[in-house]
Amino acid sequence: MIRIEENKCDFCGCCVGLCPTDCIEVKEAVIEIDDDECVDCDLCIFICPIEVLSHVEKTAV
Amino acid sequence: MWKKQQFDVVVVGGGPAGSTFARIAARGGLSVLVLEKDRDIGVPVRCGEAVSDAGLRIFHEPRDRWIKSTITRIKLVAPNESSVEFDMKEKGYILDRRIFDYDLADMAVEEGAIVITKAYVDGLLIDNDYAVGVKGTYLNEPFEVRAKLVVGADGVESRVGRWMGIRTQLKLKDMESAIQKTVSGIDVEPDRFEFYLSKKWAPGGYLWVFPKGRHMANIGLGISGNYAREGKAACRFLDEFLEWKYPQASVLTTVAGGVPVAKTLKQIVANGLMLVGDAARTVNPMTGGGIISAMRSGLLAAETAVELIKNRKDLHMKNLREYEHRWHKIGGRNHERYYRLKEAIFRFSDDDLNRIASRIAAVSVDDRSLLKLFSIAVAQKPTLLIDVVRLFARL
């Protein structure tokens, strides 16, 4: 699953533009990822310009 | 109160595409509601803010209050830090988009549109396989607004099209991971664009220095999603550049963002729905510039919408396709060419770029033009010629 460092996020939404399952929601200053819909493709991690997102194993949470 | 009304059109997103659509549609006699999720129209500015004079003039006489700098020259910096300069045939501007976007929205209001900020849309009202409105939250209260037509002007993060089954997801290679800082306390030439081309500065993209006066500039870069995959984020590249070139700079604004450098989506309409601007992927895929093309798509979509709604036509996608056809005819085909050119040019290695720069430097300044640059680039990399021939074969 994807971990979000919300206090780093700029809410630009470029992760939303790539997400194949449309599981990311970005509002004015809120970002949420639906873990059940996420398929761990990590595209959002790659594209994020400011290293907000990272991959964590589900068991680690 | 907008929540209780029915509209001809509800537009999701109050950037240049949404506001241009709203202005033209309202002028054509339609009732139009624009819903913007952020607190302010025009903020945050996720843009290098560069436009051409000719492009802007298609829509508006430039106003002094929009313009931070007038640009007449371009400087290209090669990987080995040698540089070449050109005079531009047509001038360009660095805008203040906080003011520009605000004015575009206000012009739509002057024509009769209603604009609301802090209105977040999270779904469509769908009836009989037609989009017939939107739902969302406004100041924590849920709302629903019904309209004959929904326009998705909701940017790179667009979801409006997906809710009607249009696949808008970009491929990693078709997105630039971008970051920009507006810095002050530096010395820049106020009439010159600067582009830095190298894999060390911005792999699969470029770094820009766009002056906003003599002591301030938008300094940003985009890296191709393909390179972003390798693990070094855009912010790291920019920090390294600033540390090297402008270590004393103050940072007044930092924005991140994705630039869709794709071909325009083939499908940009569905029943009761149109996509415009970044949501339709109208950005020029070679330059990453998107202000004018977004406005153009908004204009074309609005003309089609006025025609259909005024004549009480069914807003089935087969009728809305008129907009799709017009966009692909005017803008889309150019974008396909630019897309191919982008793919060709980003194949240059740093050594290629250094050699091209040194050859251009040998050409007298008066003879320098983008065409000359191009012919030198082709001489350097004959495979580019094949791409160019392919490009022009499609003209």
Side-chain angles (χ1 to χ4, degrees):
Chain A
M1 58 187 278
I2 307 294
R3 186 175 63 196
I4 307 167
E5 285 185 68
E6 263 204 66
N7 54 359
K8 265 172 97 174
C9 185
D10 198 33
F11 311 103
C12 72
C14 72
C15 49
V16 181
L18 289 184
C19 180
T21 63
D22 199 22
C23 70
I24 311 174
E25 180 151 30
V26 175
K27 300 184 190 176
E28 185 177 18
V30 179
I31 175 169
E32 287 166 358
I33 296 182
D34 183 339
D35 294 333
D36 294 334
E37 295 288 320
C38 175
V39 292
D40 291 325
C41 70
D42 292 354
L43 292 180
C44 56
I45 299 175
F46 299 142
I47 206 67
C48 179
I50 52 174
E51 302 176 323
V52 171
L53 305 169
S54 55
H55 195 96
V56 287
E57 295 307 319
K58 265 187 181 161
T59 49
V61 180
Chain B
M1 178 62 181
W2 58 274
K3 279 196 228 175
K4 296 202 165 65
Q5 291 176 40
Q6 278 214 26
F7 292 86
D8 288 322
V9 192
V10 58
V11 180
V12 184
S19 287
T20 300
F21 180 98
R23 177 173 63 86
I24 304 296
R27 180 189 288 170
L30 304 187
S31 60
V32 183
L33 173 68
V34 180
L35 299 175
E36 165 57 46
K37 76 170 163 33
D38 283 341
R39 191 180 60 185
D40 290 286
I41 295 288
V43 180
V45 176
R46 298 196 191 281
C47 183
E49 303 181 282
V51 290
S52 69
D53 174 68
L56 186 56
R57 281 180 192 281
I58 297 169
F59 300 93
H60 303 287
E61 181 70 22
R63 296 182 183 174
D64 287 346
R65 60 198 239 112
W66 297 343
I67 294 165
K68 296 294 283 187
S69 283
T70 299
I71 309 294
T72 58
R73 297 181 289 153
I74 295 179
K75 177 180 172 182
L76 299 177
V77 184
N80 61 7
E81 296 161 36
S82 65
S83 63
V84 284
E85 263 196 48
F86 301 87
D87 289 330
M88 286 162 64
K89 279 214 174 88
E90 291 174 2
K91 64 182 174 180
Y93 302 116
I94 304 301
L95 298 175
D96 186 331
R97 282 216 31 209
R98 289 172 304 180
I99 297 172
F100 179 69
D101 284 27
Y102 224 79
D103 280 358
L104 293 189
D106 192 44
M107 288 179 206
V109 172
E110 277 175 25
E111 296 290 351
I114 296 176
V115 178
I116 303 293
T117 54
K118 282 197 91 69
Y120 180 70
V121 171
D122 60 13
L124 292 175
L125 306 177
I126 296 176
D127 190 6
N128 247 337
D129 203 28
Y130 279 70
V132 292
V134 299
K135 56 185 178 171
T137 51
Y138 177 67
L139 304 177
N140 252 352
E141 300 267 334
F143 70 83
E144 292 187 356
V145 177
R146 295 187 80 82
K148 293 174 186 144
L149 177 70
V150 177
V151 172
D154 50 337
V156 66
E157 68 269 45
S158 177
R159 298 174 73 209
V160 168
R162 290 178 200 172
W163 296 327
M164 276 301 283
I166 304 176
R167 194 162 168 79
T168 62
Q169 280 87 346
L170 288 157
K171 293 184 187 134
L172 191 59
K173 77 180 177 83
D174 286 341
M175 180 87 96
E176 292 275 313
S177 178
I179 180 162
Q180 174 175 280
K181 299 191 182 199
T182 304
V183 304
S184 72
I186 62 171
D187 289 321
V188 284
E189 299 285 327
D191 60 347
R192 188 176 73 186
F193 286 137
E194 292 181 22
F195 296 98
Y196 287 74
L197 303 168
S198 167
K199 292 201 165 41
K200 68 178 174 185
W201 291 313
Y206 61 84
L207 182 147
W208 63 86
V209 178
F210 291 168
K212 298 179 105 173
R214 289 194 169 276
H215 301 295
M216 188 187 290
N218 287 338
I219 302 182
L221 58 84
I223 65 174
S224 158
N226 270 351
Y227 286 97
R229 186 193 278 276
E230 291 173 11
K232 185 172 170 183
C235 62
R236 305 266 171 191
F237 285 96
L238 186 58
D239 284 348
E240 283 176 12
F241 177 83
L242 289 174
E243 186 58 38
W244 167 63
K245 192 78 183 171
Y246 300 109
Q248 300 303 317
S250 288
V251 179
L252 304 192
T253 310
T254 303
V255 281
V259 183
V261 285
K263 297 176 201 169
T264 302
L265 297 171
K266 281 208 170 66
Q267 184 188 353
I268 51 178
V269 299
N271 295 341
L273 184 125
M274 296 167 132
L275 297 178
V276 295
D278 281 15
R281 317 307 184 203
T282 57
V283 169
N284 179 326
M286 195 171 97
T287 63
I291 300 169
I292 301 304
S293 56
M295 293 170 73
R296 193 191 287 276
S297 71
L299 170 79
L300 294 176
E303 287 175 351
T304 300
V306 168
E307 179 72 19
L308 292 174
I309 293 173
K310 281 281 189 188
N311 292 308
R312 299 177 182 280
K313 292 270 176 62
D314 185 357
L315 297 180
H316 190 276
M317 63 188 289
K318 71 177 194 301
N319 286 335
L320 295 175
R321 282 228 165 98
E322 171 68 14
Y323 155 58
E324 203 172 81
H325 291 320
R326 289 181 70 199
W327 166 262
H328 284 298
K329 202 169 163 191
I330 293 175
R333 211 184 292 161
N334 278 335
H335 281 203
E336 290 218 0
R337 279 179 219 132
Y338 285 126
Y339 184 86
R340 284 154 181 274
L341 206 52
K342 173 199 79 163
E343 301 255 294
I345 285 173
F346 287 155
R347 257 179 259 141
F348 283 136
S349 71
D350 277 6
D351 284 344
D352 293 332
L353 290 167
N354 286 333
R355 277 194 291 269
I356 291 167
S358 71
R359 295 216 187 152
I360 297 168
V363 176
S364 81
V365 176
D366 292 341
D367 286 343
R368 283 180 201 167
S369 65
L370 280 178
L371 194 66
K372 186 77 188 169
L373 165 80
F374 204 65
S375 62
I376 290 169
V378 168
Q380 183 60 43
K381 197 89 172 174
T383 50
L384 183 64
L385 189 62
I386 298 166
D387 291 304
V388 172
V389 169
R390 273 202 207 120
L391 205 70
F392 287 99
R394 294 170 60 92
L395 280 175

